[in-house]
Amino acid sequence: MNLTLHVWRQRSADEPGRMERYLAEDIEPEMSFLEMLDVVNEGLIAQGLEPIAFDHDCREGICGTCSQVINGEAHGPLANSTVCQLHMRQFRDGDEIYIEPWRARAFPVLKDLVVDRSALDRLIQANGYVSVSTGGVPDAHAVPIPKINAETAMDAAECIGCGACVAACPNSSAMLFVAAKVGHLASLPQGRVEAAHRVCAMTEAMQREGFGGCGNHYECEAACPKGISVKFIAQLNREYLKALPGKILGK
Amino acid sequence: MFHPTLFRNPVVRKLLMAFSGLLLAGFIVAHLLGNLTVFLGPNGINAYAHHLKQLGPLLWVFRGGLLAAAGIHVSFGLLLTLENRRARPMAYYRNKPQRSTLAGRTMIYSGLCLAAFAGFHLLHFTLRLLGPEITPWLDALQRPDVFSMLVIHFRLAGFVLVYILGMGALYFHLSHGLGSMLQTFGLNNARTLPWFGLLSSLIAALLAAGFAAIPALIFFGFITVQGGAA
Amino acid sequence: MILDGKCPAGPLADKWDKHRQEMKLINPANKRKFKILVVGTGLAGASAAATLAELGYRVEAFCYQDSPRRAHSIAAQGGINAAKNYRNDGDSILRLFQDTIKGGDFRAREANVYRLAQVSNAIIDQCVAQGVPFARDYAGYLENRSFGGAQVSRTFFARGQTGQQLLLGAYQALSRQVAAGTVRVFPRREMLDLVLVDGQARGIVVRDLVSGEIRCHAGDAVILATGGYAPVFNLSTNALGCSVTAAFRAYRRGALFANPCFTQIHPTCIPVTGDYQSKLTLMSESLRNDGRIWVPKNRLDERHPNDIPEGERDYFLERKYPSFGNLAPRDIASRAIKEVCDAGYGVGPGKLGVYLDFADALARLGEPVIRDRYGNLFDMYHHITDEDAYRQPMRIYPAPHYTMGGLWVDYNLQSNLPGLFVLGEANFSDHGANRLGASALMQGLADGYFIIPYTIADYLARITPGQVDTNHGAFDQARQEVEAQLNRLLAIGGRRTAADFHRELGQIMWHNVGMARSATGLQEALEQIPVLREEFWQNVRVPGSGRELNQQLEKAWRVADFLEFAEVLTRDALHREESCGGHFRVEHQTTDGEARRDDANFSHVAAWEYRGTGQAPELHREPLTFENTHLAVRSYK
């Protein structure tokens, strides 16, 4: 099939960008979206033009590197999927496809569709961990954890850190990303010890990094390739309410 | 006592919006219950107005609290909107919302409409600066004759239109706001998630319809001086 | 040269404890004077960087990804082994050791493997303490599953995303140290050279993949945890950024490359659909616990798999290996699949595929149980193939997945270059000629959390910290060489893209140096690779400049290194005149087509020393002795 692409091109972080039009010809329905871009890029290189820069790595939906807004949807039209797992059978011959980078103040564009997501790393550095050092820990069976809690923790821990929640949020908020980590660790006894400090530190870091606030629009959940539920944002709010008295009393 | 960064925390701001919103919504429910006394005729609503007046200083305490809640809700609402816009300096060329509602995305506009409507409503009913003057203002039992004011003013299409539009904004605002509030208070879970949105719309619709019914019924002649008194 | 693995003397079970007692320690106040450079932030790199920083060293960590959390360990699905014996099914450290040695077809060092089994239990404890949400039963205790090559259930897992969860645990530990200021992470940096001063590893040269700037970093020791080289086959289950570059650059600087021909072809991957294909997707080996592998008995059978009656199906793994059946080790399963497809019994496009059927398991356990166990894998399969594996069998085919070979290291994980340590998949040490499922995660974390912190101290305690900085002439020279090669790549202006050369190299390697290798095929590859490399340096086209984010330039450098490294791999395969594990030489097989090992002549590690591009590398041997295991013919029948 043949498609018309409108792709965001931007030489560097400091230069303005614009949408450019390209033709993608003889595309097979079995191709992944990124393979389609590979084919387009090979064509551009052959014509002496600069290929489109885009982030990608594992191409199996787990590393969280790929990051494109396709026709106004983060990771494109297929639910619970990353761009790399989106296949061209989702499109029809003659379609026009708009491809844009994640857009948020906290995710500056580096080039074309490549953005800087180091803000997400800094959120995890704000106590998005259990403060345990290597060695000297009890046997793994020392503390039984109810299956349902372990499952809830896993539901949240599946986050791949791609940033689609931020890209899709009308407010560019990272609340689902933060809530996934807060929810993951707060559901386990090992993470409870620091739960109060964690929820405060991570949400404060989110504000510092220039993400917007959560407006409960739930676009994040719809865009999340792992389908992480906004119930974790409700859990984050509960955790924060629990932490608040200590915070106010300066404990 | 209060950490200086506390009010910069996005969750604190959310909680402030939700809590002030809850107070405002509580007021709206009380206001509607009071308004419904109109269906009892002059003896209903005029007596209600009379009792309110008799609360004296308590009424002012109540009004002060309401003003504070409104102040917090509006100022943080504006602040959050500006901040959230700053968080995305460049809009998408194509944007296809999946889950969010028009009501949710336009909270600032429906909120500003409601603020304007509240101002109009205060000028109209509390300060009585708009519309034909009602004389005498006190009825035979020396109570404010709110009933007459209602049935006279709501025969005028302009007034009815403003009130109906105001209630449209109320519906819009609450349909997102109520469910959002429950989420912010952490009352949501996987099972309640699909229902809270629906419940929110339903309650918003009931409230807005309850208020709007009064001007509408009066305009179309279902409540008249004679009818209401009967 | 005969290499010395420096294994401690004494009984196997006491070696590591004894060695730990004998190694030197560094005073806590002195640790901060040492700077350690860690390249790669997967399981091995992140766990090492975090642990060393916790101990007090200053650490700089580098990764080519935009975040340390995206290293390819994240894609490991199935699980991690440990000898906990929580199931009471007879597991023990000794049994895990024996299974791993046997699984590796007796081509790994006994002492290393025993130590790996010993520390395996501590890994599980550590991960649970970090908040890794392993699967649990209703009593709240950890679940286990069985995995290929083992008859006990010793594999711990977190749904189908065990690697992800373990990596996030290590990444979070690393993030804690970043917050504490003890680690600096340099993401989007690719190591392009190793710097030696007086024969000791003292630093690295990296390219900032955003600005294109070439920078030098100096340290007291360098740790490479840069993964394997499976993309030498072009199509593999590895991430597209995975490359041999860091390890190969160390090799060019004098580090020995050991057993490069030991590559693992994973049996359960989604088959290729076309020429444009950029990668192959692995379906976790755990699927073989409940899936049955078969092909039609009639090679012309064109019916839908659901319409082929039971009697007309050949469950060839169950037929050939009755005691292990569908759980036969990876190398054996892969070769059996290749054999049936080569004989024309394959299914799907190009007849390169076999069925992995869940119908029996679905009938026995019900769809909810299967969904619970493998839901994400079935979803992934559906995304890629548009087929519903709950209704019809999956199609699978083997694909390059893991490389057991790697830089040669001694028992301390130190290469032959002092100060250069190599961890995880990047070294050669623990898996011999074939890695068992769920052992890669175990090895990466064992190296990073529990081995390198001890062994590196023993090295550092013998040197003076901060002896060299980047002003040393060796750094400037290395930087100039890197810049010269980048400029050379950019200046060629040929007609073919780097990806195009990579595809062609992949074809040569897959057909001649893949699952079944012959002397003639290997000789052919050794003729074709230099020709292709020659053409690459005449005809590759790299657009753009070096001073910007340039993904084509990154790719071209990696392909250039693969084009040299492929030759080393092929030479090693030619040298090893035996079949063992993932290395199958058609000349060396039994009458029924099984691998025939030659313990008399090849019970050694083949470690290759660089002698110049296009020159034959020099072979060094480390003899392998087996004092605690019986050198048996591996049988899974």
Side-chain angles (χ1 to χ4, degrees):
Chain A
M1 57 185 161
N2 298 319
L3 304 154
T4 308
L5 309 182
H6 301 267
V7 185
W8 181 258
R9 300 305 304 264
Q10 182 172 344
R11 285 195 65 83
S12 74
D14 313 319
E15 289 165 69
R18 67 196 174 283
M19 297 297 279
E20 294 225 5
R21 194 167 160 277
Y22 300 97
L23 294 178
E25 283 160 336
D26 300 325
I27 300 301
E28 308 280 339
E30 286 80 23
M31 281 182 187
S32 74
F33 197 83
L34 299 185
E35 284 164 352
M36 181 274 291
L37 286 180
D38 290 340
V39 169
V40 170
N41 271 347
E42 295 237 337
L44 290 177
I45 295 169
Q47 292 170 52
L49 298 171
E50 189 160 356
I52 302 158
F54 59 93
D55 257 332
H56 64 96
D57 202 21
C58 78
R59 298 206 178 189
E60 57 182 82
I62 191 73
C63 72
T65 309
C66 55
S67 47
Q68 298 171 22
V69 172
I70 299 165
N71 287 340
E73 290 181 67
H75 286 307
L78 189 64
N80 297 325
S81 166
T82 53
V83 180
C84 64
Q85 296 296 83
L86 175 67
H87 282 69
M88 297 313 292
R89 67 177 81 89
Q90 299 291 330
F91 298 90
R92 274 176 225 299
D93 187 38
D95 273 0
E96 302 236 341
I97 305 178
Y98 287 77
I99 311 173
E100 299 177 70
W102 286 174
R103 292 195 192 278
R105 184 161 66 116
F107 291 165
V109 174
L110 298 175
K111 185 173 186 179
D112 298 344
L113 303 171
V114 178
V115 300
D116 177 359
R117 282 171 290 190
S118 54
L120 297 180
D121 288 322
R122 290 189 291 275
L123 294 185
I124 297 296
Q125 284 154 20
N127 207 356
Y129 47 77
V130 175
S131 296
V132 59
S133 294
T134 305
V137 298
D139 186 87
H141 266 186
V143 186
I145 300 173
K147 186 179 170 72
I148 186 159
N149 295 4
E151 294 290 326
T152 304
M154 185 64 202
D155 287 343
E158 282 190 286
C159 170
I160 59 173
C162 64
C165 46
V166 178
C169 175
N171 303 343
S172 302
S173 177
M175 198 60 97
L176 188 64
F177 176 83
V178 171
K181 193 43 65 195
V182 166
H184 158 209
L185 294 176
S187 304
L188 299 169
Q190 291 82 3
R192 280 251 47 104
V193 181
E194 298 168 271
H197 181 256
R198 180 177 305 115
V199 69
C200 295
M202 289 192 81
T203 49
E204 280 160 22
M206 190 180 107
Q207 196 270 338
R208 275 202 305 278
E209 293 293 338
F211 293 102
C214 173
N216 300 326
H217 296 294
Y218 306 158
E219 287 291 350
C220 48
E221 182 183 296
C224 178
K226 293 285 155 188
I228 293 175
S229 165
V230 292
K231 77 177 182 185
F232 289 110
I233 297 181
Q235 188 186 357
L236 175 142
N237 296 334
R238 285 197 295 279
E239 291 294 335
Y240 195 87
L241 281 167
K242 276 191 243 172
L244 200 53
K247 179 113 182 133
I248 290 171
L249 297 172
K251 277 181 189 163
Chain B
M1 188 175 100
F2 284 98
H3 201 268
T5 59
L6 193 64
F7 290 102
R8 259 189 267 152
N9 188 295
V11 187
V12 170
R13 291 180 170 183
K14 249 171 90 139
L15 284 166
L16 282 171
M17 285 303 285
F19 191 68
S20 57
L22 175 67
L23 293 180
L24 294 172
F27 162 73
I28 284 168
V29 172
H31 191 338
L32 176 63
L33 291 175
N35 284 10
L36 293 178
T37 56
V38 75
F39 294 109
L40 302 174
N43 282 331
I45 196 157
N46 290 0
Y48 168 65
H50 184 64
H51 287 307
L52 273 186
K53 280 265 176 222
Q54 280 191 325
L55 288 175
L58 208 63
L59 185 65
W60 282 104
V61 170
F62 181 70
R63 282 175 170 168
L66 195 62
L67 197 69
I72 289 171
H73 202 75
V74 172
S75 49
F76 274 94
L78 287 169
L79 184 73
L80 283 169
T81 305
L82 293 175
E83 268 188 7
N84 292 341
R85 291 203 173 157
R86 260 218 333 254
R88 177 160 296 139
M90 174 149 208
Y92 288 108
Y93 273 70
R94 281 276 184 286
N95 187 21
K96 201 163 150 198
Q98 303 299 305
R99 278 282 294 280
S100 61
T101 57
L102 185 64
R105 293 192 302 271
T106 55
M107 286 299 270
I108 188 65
Y109 302 112
S110 57
L112 289 173
C113 287
L114 278 176
F117 173 77
F120 175 85
H121 181 56
L122 286 177
L123 290 178
H124 181 203
F125 262 92
T126 311
L127 302 174
R128 283 185 284 122
L129 297 176
L130 304 174
E133 203 179 333
I134 309 298
T135 45
W137 173 235
L138 299 179
D139 67 6
L141 296 172
Q142 297 301 305
R143 301 174 303 197
D145 195 358
V146 180
F147 186 80
S148 299
M149 184 176 172
L150 282 172
V151 292
I152 291 165
H153 284 190
F154 284 146
R155 296 295 291 177
L156 303 172
F159 276 113
V160 174
L161 193 68
V162 171
Y163 275 84
I164 299 279
L165 286 176
M167 291 310 102
L170 181 71
Y171 165 73
F172 236 52
H173 203 73
L174 289 185
S175 69
H176 177 76
L178 293 173
S180 184
M181 179 183 79
L182 294 170
Q183 166 81 351
T184 298
F185 286 144
L187 299 172
N188 228 344
N189 60 38
R191 212 168 290 172
T192 55
L193 256 174
W195 299 104
F196 276 3
L198 218 62
L199 188 73
S200 182
S201 293
L202 192 74
I203 294 174
L206 281 175
L207 286 174
F211 280 111
I214 295 165
L217 291 175
I218 291 171
F219 185 73
F220 291 109
F222 290 101
I223 300 172
T224 60
V225 177
Q226 297 77 17
Chain C
M1 186 171 61
I2 300 294
L3 295 164
D4 177 10
K6 299 200 183 101
C7 297
L12 188 64
D14 302 336
K15 281 182 198 280
W16 177 233
D17 289 342
K18 185 164 155 278
H19 190 57
R20 278 199 301 172
Q21 301 309 317
E22 288 167 0
M23 279 187 288
K24 284 179 180 276
L25 298 174
I26 297 176
N27 174 322
N30 284 339
K31 283 197 181 112
R32 79 177 73 93
K33 294 179 186 162
F34 292 95
K35 187 159 88 179
I36 301 170
L37 309 180
V38 181
V39 188
T41 58
L43 285 177
S47 59
T51 305
L52 292 169
E54 286 161 8
L55 289 170
Y57 299 105
R58 284 180 296 135
V59 176
E60 291 186 353
F62 303 83
C63 62
Y64 75 79
Q65 298 89 348
D66 72 328
S67 161
R69 68 178 292 152
R70 305 199 201 286
H72 194 60
S73 305
I74 203 142
Q77 297 167 354
I80 176 165
N81 286 334
K84 284 284 194 185
N85 193 29
Y86 282 157
R87 297 276 81 76
N88 196 29
D89 58 358
D91 200 8
S92 65
I93 288 170
L94 189 64
R95 199 179 286 274
L96 174 55
F97 157 73
Q98 284 169 338
D99 284 352
T100 309
I101 282 281
K102 179 188 169 196
D105 218 354
F106 303 95
R107 290 293 173 264
R109 248 188 233 139
E110 276 193 337
N112 281 58
V113 177
Y114 194 85
R115 174 178 65 185
L116 177 66
Q118 269 177 310
V119 301
S120 67
N121 291 341
I123 297 170
I124 304 301
D125 301 340
Q126 187 64 36
C127 295
V128 166
Q130 289 171 344
V132 170
F134 284 119
R136 287 177 184 266
D137 61 22
Y138 282 102
Y141 294 105
L142 295 166
E143 286 254 36
N144 289 115
R145 52 168 65 136
S146 58
F147 238 63
Q151 286 176 317
V152 292
S153 288
R154 63 159 74 99
T155 303
F156 295 80
F157 62 100
R159 292 197 190 140
Q161 289 122 288
T162 317
Q164 180 199 28
Q165 293 310 312
L166 297 178
L167 181 62
L168 292 181
Y171 161 75
Q172 285 164 205
L174 180 65
S175 298
R176 174 171 166 244
Q177 295 308 311
V178 173
T182 52
V183 177
R184 276 189 75 192
V185 174
F186 295 87
R188 293 198 196 266
R189 302 292 200 291
E190 183 151 28
M191 171 181 154
L192 296 182
D193 211 348
L194 176 74
V195 181
L196 298 178
V197 176
D198 302 328
Q200 300 196 328
R202 292 297 197 179
I204 56 173
V205 181
V206 298
R207 180 168 182 268
D208 179 329
L209 300 182
V210 177
S211 69
E213 203 182 344
I214 308 299
R215 283 228 151 180
C216 296
H217 293 260
D220 296 294
V222 177
I223 294 177
L224 294 190
T226 49
Y229 48 85
V232 71
F233 294 100
N234 182 32
L235 287 183
S236 79
T237 65
N238 285 196
L240 270 77
C242 292
S243 77
V244 76
T245 287
F248 184 71
R249 291 284 139 183
Y251 165 76
R252 281 182 58 128
R253 291 283 175 194
L256 303 179
F257 214 109
N259 296 340
C261 78
F262 289 162
T263 53
Q264 182 167 76
I265 313 287
H266 196 290
T268 51
C269 302
I270 301 177
V272 179
T273 54
D275 299 334
Y276 48 79
Q277 191 114 6
S278 60
K279 100 149 243 160
L280 297 171
T281 303
L282 176 88
M283 298 269 96
S284 168
E285 179 165 14
S286 61
L287 290 170
R288 289 199 277 146
N289 278 324
D290 287 307
R292 298 179 69 197
I293 293 174
W294 64 275
V295 287
K297 279 184 179 165
N298 176 358
R299 67 183 85 185
L300 300 173
D301 203 329
E302 295 286 320
R303 283 176 290 178
H304 187 275
N306 291 350
D307 299 333
I308 299 178
E310 199 64 22
E312 294 176 41
R313 299 173 175 192
D314 178 15
Y315 293 92
F316 55 95
L317 282 178
E318 296 171 24
R319 171 170 59 78
K320 292 170 81 169
Y321 308 101
S323 74
F324 276 70
N326 295 298
L327 288 176
R330 290 176 180 175
D331 52 336
I332 290 179
S334 291
R335 209 159 45 243
I337 293 169
K338 179 182 157 61
E339 276 167 17
V340 295
C341 292
D342 287 352
Y345 294 94
V347 298
K351 296 207 139 227
L352 290 173
V354 298
Y355 291 123
L356 177 61
D357 198 337
F358 291 87
D360 285 1
L362 282 162
R364 187 174 74 245
L365 303 164
E367 195 175 311
V369 175
I370 296 296
R371 199 175 284 280
D372 191 43
R373 284 186 192 166
Y374 312 112
N376 66 320
L377 299 171
F378 279 48
D379 287 348
M380 194 157 85
Y381 184 78
H382 182 249
H383 276 322
I384 294 172
T385 62
D386 208 23
E387 290 174 6
D388 181 359
Y390 293 103
R391 306 279 159 265
Q392 68 183 82
M394 284 183 181
R395 286 175 297 109
I396 54 158
Y397 196 69
H401 169 59
Y402 185 90
T403 53
M404 285 72 68
L407 291 177
W408 183 86
V409 290
D410 62 18
Y411 187 71
N412 294 315
L413 304 182
Q414 185 168 224
S415 72
N416 57 309
L417 302 176
L420 178 68
F421 293 80
V422 190
L423 317 186
E425 191 180 351
N427 74 25
F428 86 105
S429 69
D430 294 0
H431 304 299
N434 173 54
R435 180 177 65 74
L436 289 185
S439 283
L441 305 186
M442 174 171 67
Q443 188 223 341
L445 291 180
D447 287 0
Y449 283 135
F450 297 113
I451 299 170
I452 192 72
Y454 293 94
T455 60
I456 204 169
D458 191 55
Y459 168 75
L460 294 173
R462 297 163 202 272
I463 63 167
T464 316
Q467 272 175 315
V468 289
D469 60 20
T470 52
N471 293 322
H472 191 283
F475 282 91
D476 202 42
Q477 198 194 334
R479 200 187 57 232
Q480 283 178 16
E481 286 175 30
V482 164
E483 299 218 351
Q485 169 143 341
L486 287 166
N487 291 335
R488 205 177 141 204
L489 284 168
L490 287 160
I492 297 165
R495 310 184 64 82
R496 292 175 68 185
T497 60
D500 201 21
F501 282 101
H502 198 184
R503 272 192 290 269
E504 191 174 335
L505 174 67
Q507 288 293 321
I508 297 173
M509 296 305 286
W510 180 245
H511 291 300
N512 298 300
V513 201
M515 272 185 285
R517 298 160 173 175
S518 67
T520 43
L522 294 169
Q523 294 285 10
E524 221 170 84
L526 282 178
E527 281 162 28
Q528 291 171 352
I529 296 164
V531 173
L532 185 64
R533 186 169 62 228
E534 195 65 25
E535 197 202 332
F536 175 87
W537 285 104
Q538 301 294 327
N539 198 24
V540 72
R541 178 182 204 125
V542 185
S545 81
R547 290 282 166 192
E548 60 178 337
L549 195 161
N550 187 340
Q551 294 172 322
Q552 296 298 317
L553 181 60
E554 296 165 26
K555 172 91 186 171
W557 182 294
R558 293 169 190 159
V559 172
D561 284 346
F562 277 130
L563 281 165
E564 282 191 56
F565 171 72
E567 215 175 314
V568 185
L569 195 165
T570 310
R571 276 184 201 284
D572 186 45
L574 191 60
H575 152 78
R576 195 165 279 279
E577 289 277 357
E578 64 164 349
S579 294
C580 62
H583 172 66
F584 189 82
R585 286 285 300 268
V586 294
E587 301 92 339
H588 304 286
Q589 53 182 313
T590 60
T591 43
D592 54 354
E594 297 297 325
R596 192 162 58 208
R597 234 174 39 223
D598 180 355
D599 294 327
N601 295 306
F602 288 95
S603 187
H604 65 245
V605 177
W608 300 89
E609 185 183 354
Y610 180 69
R611 283 272 172 252
T613 302
Q615 306 291 311
E618 188 180 336
L619 174 67
H620 303 280
R621 290 184 174 84
E622 180 197 339
L624 292 171
T625 49
F626 295 88
E627 294 162 353
N628 301 279
T629 36
H630 172 58
L631 265 173
V633 174
R634 211 164 53 126
S635 169
Y636 292 92
K637 294 210 174 206

